[in-house]
Amino acid sequence: MHIDPNYIAIDNLFFRLTEQFIVPAYQRRYSWGLRQLGELFDDINKLKIEDSHLLSSIVFLKGESKGGINQYEIIDGQQRITTLSIIFLSLKEKYLKLNDKNKLSSLDKLLFCEGYSRTSQPKLILGELDNVDYSILLNSKEDDFNKIKNHHLLDAINFYKQKLPDNQNQLDDFYDKISTKLKLIRLDVSSASDAYKLFEVINNRGLKLTASDIIKNFILGNAAQKDDGTNIKNVKESWKNLVVYLDGISIDNFLRHFLSGILKRKLAMSKVAAEFKKYYYLKVEQTESLSEYSFYDSPEDDNEENEEILIAKDNEDDENSINPGVLEGEKARISSVEKIDIKELASDLEKSAEIYAKIYNREFDSEKVNECLRNLSRVEAKPSYSFLLHLFKLNVNDKVAIEIIKMVETFMLRWHICGRRTSALDDIFPRMTNLSTLNLLAEVKLKLKEKMPDDNEFISRLKLYDFNGNLDRAKYILEQIEYRLMNHHGEYSINSGADVHLEHIIPQKIKSQKSKQEFGDWETYLGINSIKEHEKYVHTIGNLTLIAQVLNIKASNNPFLVKKKEYKKSILQLNKDLVKNYNNFKFNDLKRRAEKLAHQAVAIWNI
C-alpha cells in the first residue's frame, strides 16, 4: 500500500487551484447536525495564538494526473470537507457586508479551482443527491434556499452565519485560525482497493463507523482488488443507486433486514458488518484465495452471537432458540448455492434497496398494496420488513401480497396489544423467508397463527391496554372498527389527519379547577374512587372515540349529557352508538363499551 501523507493547514489544502475534490455518488449524504457543527466551531474559536488543532485525516483517491484540473475522490472526510466549505461560504457573506475585497478574493480561491483555461469551477463537488443544494449555497442564492432538500446543509449555513462575528477584527481572527491553525493529515492513495482498506483501518477502531460505511468500503475495496475493468465501475453505480433509493431511510436498517432474511435468523446491528463480510466470502466467487477467507470460513465467533440471542429471548419456547448446529448449517446453505461475481452481489443489493424503499415509502404500482402497507406501518411493523423484502423479491401477484400483508398486520397488532417481546419478532420474520413458495399463503397463515396470541388473550388485553404514548395506534383501531360498523366497502374514508381527533370521552384531566370549568365536574359525577379508576382506564379503548370537531362543552352536573349533544352532530357510527346506548358514562359503562369494541376488533384482526 503506497500512501503519500502530508500534515498541512487548511489553506494549503484548499488553495491548490488545479485540484478539485469529488464526493462520489455512492457516499452517504451530508449529515452533520448542530452538535458536530458547534463542536467544530468551538474547537476553532477557542484556539490561542500558539495553538493548533488537528482535524483528523482525509483520505483521497488520486485520479489520473493530467493537464488542467485534477480530481480527487474523497474516500474519508467528506463531512469535514463539506463543513469547512460551508464555513468559507459563511465567512464570504460576512466579508461581503464589510466590503473586504482582499478577504473575498482569498475565500474564492478556497471555494473555486481553475485549470489552464482559467475557467472557474467549484472546488468541491458533492454527491448526486446533495450537489444541487450545495450549488445554491455556493452561488449565494438566498431566494432559492427554500428549494434546498437536505436540511443539514441549510442548518449548517444558517448556524455559521449566526455564530460568526460581525466585527471585522473578530472575523479576521477567526479566519486566520481556520485557515492556518486548523491542521489535518492528508493521505493520498493511488490504488482504489488500498483507499477503501485504509478508510476502514482508520475508522473501524471504535463505534464511529456505521455498518453501511464499513460494508460500502469493504465491497468497493474488493471490487477494486479483483477488477476486470468493469467491477469497480458497476459496483460503484449499484451502491450509488442504493443510496438514492434509500434517501431518508436508514441504510443500516436495510442491511440488517436484508441479511436477516438471507441468514434466516435474528441479527444484532453490532454484527451486521461482520456478518456481511462472512456472507460475502461464502457467496462470491474466487474468494477462497484471499487471506481473510479462512477467518470467515470458520465459526469461531458464533458462540457470542448465540449467547446474545438466547439472552434476549429469555424463556421463549425452544423452537426459536438457536442451537449450536444452526450457524454451521447456515454456512453450508450459503456455500451450497451457486457462487456469483461481485457485480451480481452489488446488483442484488441495489434491487433489494429499491424494493425496500417501495415497502418503506408505500410506492408500489398497486394502490391497494400501498394502502395495506400504510395500515401495516400504523401498527408499527418494521420487524416484518425482512420477510416483506423477501416476499416482494419473489414477484408475487398483488392479490397474494395483499392477503399476506393483512395477515402480518393482524399478527403485529395482536402481538403489540398483548405485550409480547418485540425482540422475538426479529427471529420470527427472518425465519419465514424459508417458507415454501409452492403454497406460500397457507404456510404464512400456519406460521403466523402458530405464534399469534389467540382471540381470548387479544380481547382481554385490548380492553385494558393503555394507549397513552401510542394514541395513533388507538386512532387506527377505532377507524377500522368504524369501517366495520358501517359495512365499509371501500367508498368511505376517514380523514386520519388533523381533521379527525382522538377523543377521550371521560377527559384526560378531571380534578383540576380548569378541567371542571371546561368539561364539567367529572370527579363528582364518577363517584367514589374516581381518581384511582380514572388513572387506570382513561387511555383505554372503552374511553376513546373519534370526533371531527372541537366539542363545545359547558360545566354541568352530568357532563356526559352535554357531550352527547356534541356526539349527535357526528356522522360516525361510533358516536351514534354512544348517543343511542349510553345514558350515562361511568366506569361500568366504559368497561361495557370496551368489551363491545374488543369483540369488534377480534373480528377484524383475525387470520
Side-chain angles (χ1 to χ4, degrees):
M1 182 184 293
H2 179 73
I3 305 171
D4 294 328
N6 284 292
Y7 179 71
I8 58 175
I10 295 300
D11 59 354
N12 289 331
L13 174 69
F14 280 87
F15 263 145
R16 299 179 184 183
L17 290 178
T18 58
E19 290 184 351
Q20 187 176 51
F21 304 144
I22 308 294
V23 176
Y26 56 78
Q27 295 274 34
R28 60 179 172 175
R29 302 188 75 169
Y30 180 74
S31 57
W32 268 24
L34 294 179
R35 180 177 65 81
Q36 292 94 340
L37 299 174
E39 287 173 353
L40 178 57
F41 179 84
D42 290 341
D43 287 340
I44 300 168
N45 199 43
K46 292 176 182 177
L47 287 171
K48 297 179 180 179
I49 295 175
E50 67 277 9
D51 291 341
S52 64
H53 177 73
L54 178 62
L55 193 62
S56 190
S57 58
I58 306 290
V59 179
F60 287 110
L61 175 60
K62 295 191 294 186
E64 183 181 350
S65 296
K66 56 186 179 180
I69 294 175
N70 293 301
Q71 294 186 333
Y72 290 75
E73 279 193 17
I74 307 174
I75 302 302
D76 183 26
Q78 62 128 327
Q79 303 286 331
R80 281 162 283 162
I81 292 287
T82 305
T83 305
L84 289 170
S85 297
I86 290 173
I87 294 177
F88 298 152
L89 286 168
S90 304
L91 283 165
K92 186 176 177 180
E93 180 174 313
K94 296 288 184 178
Y95 281 118
L96 274 170
K97 293 178 181 177
L98 294 169
N99 196 28
D100 189 328
K101 294 180 180 179
N102 289 331
K103 285 295 194 298
L104 290 172
S105 177
S106 296
L107 285 164
D108 278 341
K109 290 176 182 177
L110 299 174
L111 290 165
F112 296 93
C113 58
E114 59 183 42
Y116 297 138
S117 66
R118 302 295 182 185
T119 302
S120 180
Q121 295 186 33
K123 181 76 174 181
L124 175 66
I125 304 293
L126 296 190
E128 184 174 319
L129 292 171
D130 281 343
N131 202 51
V132 173
D133 292 346
Y134 178 70
S135 296
I136 293 173
L137 298 180
L138 191 63
N139 294 306
S140 301
K141 297 179 179 178
E142 290 202 23
D143 291 342
D144 292 336
F145 278 13
N146 61 331
K147 297 178 183 177
I148 293 175
K149 295 181 180 179
N150 187 342
H151 71 87
H152 291 291
L153 286 168
L154 189 59
D155 289 346
I157 192 79
N158 288 333
F159 175 84
Y160 287 118
K161 281 160 59 175
Q162 181 181 4
K163 294 291 285 187
L164 289 171
D166 295 317
N167 177 273
Q168 175 89 46
N169 292 332
Q170 292 176 339
L171 197 64
D172 289 346
D173 182 56
F174 186 89
Y175 179 82
D176 180 63
K177 289 175 180 178
I178 192 174
S179 58
T180 62
K181 299 185 182 300
L182 199 61
K183 313 279 187 177
L184 55 79
I185 300 171
R186 174 174 176 161
L187 301 170
D188 287 356
V189 184
S190 301
S191 162
S193 60
D194 287 347
Y196 301 123
K197 185 66 176 177
L198 180 61
F199 173 90
E200 185 171 346
V201 169
I202 291 171
N203 290 282
N204 194 20
R205 292 297 179 266
L207 300 177
K208 183 178 179 181
L209 281 183
T210 64
S212 54
D213 288 327
I214 297 169
I215 290 170
K216 173 196 68 182
N217 283 275
F218 172 79
I219 194 171
L220 289 173
N222 278 277
Q225 190 174 18
K226 50 187 292 186
D227 200 7
D228 60 0
T230 62
N231 278 342
I232 189 66
K233 179 181 177 182
N234 289 340
V235 172
K236 279 184 178 180
E237 182 68 17
S238 289
W239 195 273
K240 180 202 78 172
N241 292 336
L242 177 151
V243 171
V244 172
Y245 288 136
L246 298 177
D247 185 28
I249 302 171
S250 168
I251 299 179
D252 282 5
N253 284 341
F254 157 71
L255 289 168
R256 186 169 71 87
H257 285 130
F258 171 83
L259 275 175
S260 293
I262 288 171
L263 303 179
K264 307 187 189 312
R265 61 175 169 86
K266 176 187 290 186
L267 184 60
M269 186 62 78
S270 60
K271 299 285 185 179
V272 169
E275 289 293 342
F276 182 87
K277 291 181 180 180
K278 186 183 296 185
Y279 169 66
Y280 173 89
Y281 284 117
L282 296 173
K283 180 71 173 176
V284 176
E285 61 190 11
Q286 299 178 350
T287 56
E288 293 87 348
S289 60
L290 299 176
S291 59
E292 297 93 339
Y293 179 82
S294 59
F295 175 77
Y296 289 106
D297 189 43
S298 63
E300 72 256 11
D301 288 333
D302 289 347
N303 288 335
E304 183 182 350
E305 179 74 15
N306 291 349
E307 183 179 357
E308 180 178 353
I309 292 173
L310 292 171
I311 290 173
K313 294 174 68 58
D314 278 309
N315 298 319
E316 283 194 43
D317 56 89
D318 293 337
E319 182 183 351
N320 278 341
S321 301
I322 294 203
N323 61 56
V326 167
L327 293 163
E328 189 63 33
E330 171 188 298
K331 187 185 82 171
R333 184 176 66 252
I334 295 173
S335 300
S336 67
V337 177
E338 184 178 352
K339 291 202 170 189
I340 60 176
D341 68 28
I342 193 169
K343 296 190 293 291
E344 291 177 273
L345 176 65
S347 179
D348 183 41
L349 278 168
E350 176 189 347
K351 178 185 176 183
S352 300
E354 181 182 13
I355 293 171
Y356 191 87
K358 287 182 177 180
I359 295 169
Y360 193 96
N361 296 319
R362 284 80 72 184
E363 291 179 341
F364 287 94
D365 292 336
S366 168
E367 187 50 43
K368 289 185 178 179
V369 170
N370 293 335
E371 182 182 352
C372 288
L373 288 170
R374 276 191 288 271
N375 292 344
L376 189 62
S377 176
R378 294 187 69 186
V379 300
E380 298 182 37
K382 283 188 175 64
S384 69
Y385 282 12
S386 57
F387 170 66
L388 293 181
L389 176 58
H390 170 77
L391 175 70
F392 283 105
K393 287 179 74 172
L394 294 174
N395 292 317
V396 297
N397 64 53
D398 291 346
K399 182 178 179 182
V400 170
I402 287 168
E403 287 193 51
I404 289 176
I405 295 169
K406 287 182 176 179
M407 284 193 280
V408 172
E409 179 193 337
T410 291
F411 177 89
M412 290 297 302
L413 183 65
R414 288 192 178 208
W415 192 271
H416 288 314
I417 294 297
C418 293
R420 300 290 180 89
R421 277 193 298 275
T422 303
S423 61
L425 297 170
D426 289 330
D427 205 36
I428 291 171
F429 285 106
R431 286 170 180 252
M432 289 175 60
T433 62
N434 206 27
L435 298 178
S436 168
T437 57
L438 296 177
N439 196 6
L440 188 59
L441 272 173
E443 290 211 27
V444 171
K445 180 177 181 179
L446 183 65
K447 187 66 177 177
L448 291 178
K449 288 194 72 171
E450 186 180 290
K451 302 292 181 184
M452 186 176 74
D454 63 24
D455 291 357
N456 289 333
E457 182 183 359
F458 181 52
I459 289 172
S460 64
R461 295 298 293 267
L462 179 58
K463 290 187 296 184
L464 296 173
Y465 186 84
D466 192 324
F467 287 96
N468 190 28
N470 205 329
L471 295 177
D472 188 61
R473 184 181 291 166
K475 192 175 182 182
Y476 175 67
I477 290 172
L478 291 172
E479 286 173 12
Q480 299 305 310
I481 292 175
E482 173 66 21
Y483 290 144
R484 188 171 192 273
L485 289 173
M486 57 125 21
N487 297 316
H488 171 52
H489 296 293
E491 74 283 356
Y492 178 81
S493 178
I494 297 173
N495 181 348
S496 60
D499 293 338
V500 176
H501 308 277
L502 190 67
E503 156 75 359
H504 289 73
I505 301 169
I506 300 173
Q508 297 184 60
K509 296 180 180 180
I510 62 171
K511 62 180 182 178
S512 69
Q513 191 60 39
K514 182 179 179 182
S515 68
K516 291 178 181 180
Q517 290 174 351
E518 292 182 355
F519 302 115
D521 187 2
W522 281 89
E523 184 180 4
T524 301
Y525 170 75
L526 292 170
I528 299 173
N529 291 327
S530 61
I531 299 301
K532 185 177 180 179
E533 293 282 275
H534 178 265
E535 290 176 357
K536 183 177 180 180
Y537 291 107
V538 65
H539 298 298
T540 60
I541 196 74
N543 191 46
L544 302 173
T545 189
L546 301 174
I547 199 74
Q549 71 272 345
V550 177
L551 299 183
N552 182 23
I553 303 300
K554 298 178 181 178
S556 168
N557 291 330
N558 189 335
F560 178 67
L561 291 180
V562 179
K563 280 202 168 191
K564 278 183 68 173
K565 294 177 182 177
E566 298 299 316
Y567 294 147
K568 284 181 181 179
K569 301 174 185 177
S570 172
I571 64 170
L572 299 182
Q573 296 297 320
L574 285 166
N575 297 327
K576 290 181 182 295
D577 178 74
L578 275 169
V579 171
K580 179 181 178 182
N581 295 316
Y582 296 87
N583 293 321
N584 286 290
F585 201 82
K586 300 186 179 182
F587 291 114
N588 284 335
D589 303 289
L590 182 154
K591 295 172 189 176
R592 178 163 59 93
R593 183 169 180 267
E595 182 81 26
K596 185 188 299 185
L597 293 176
H599 279 86
Q600 293 281 358
V602 83
I604 296 169
W605 288 283
N606 209 336
I607 297 179

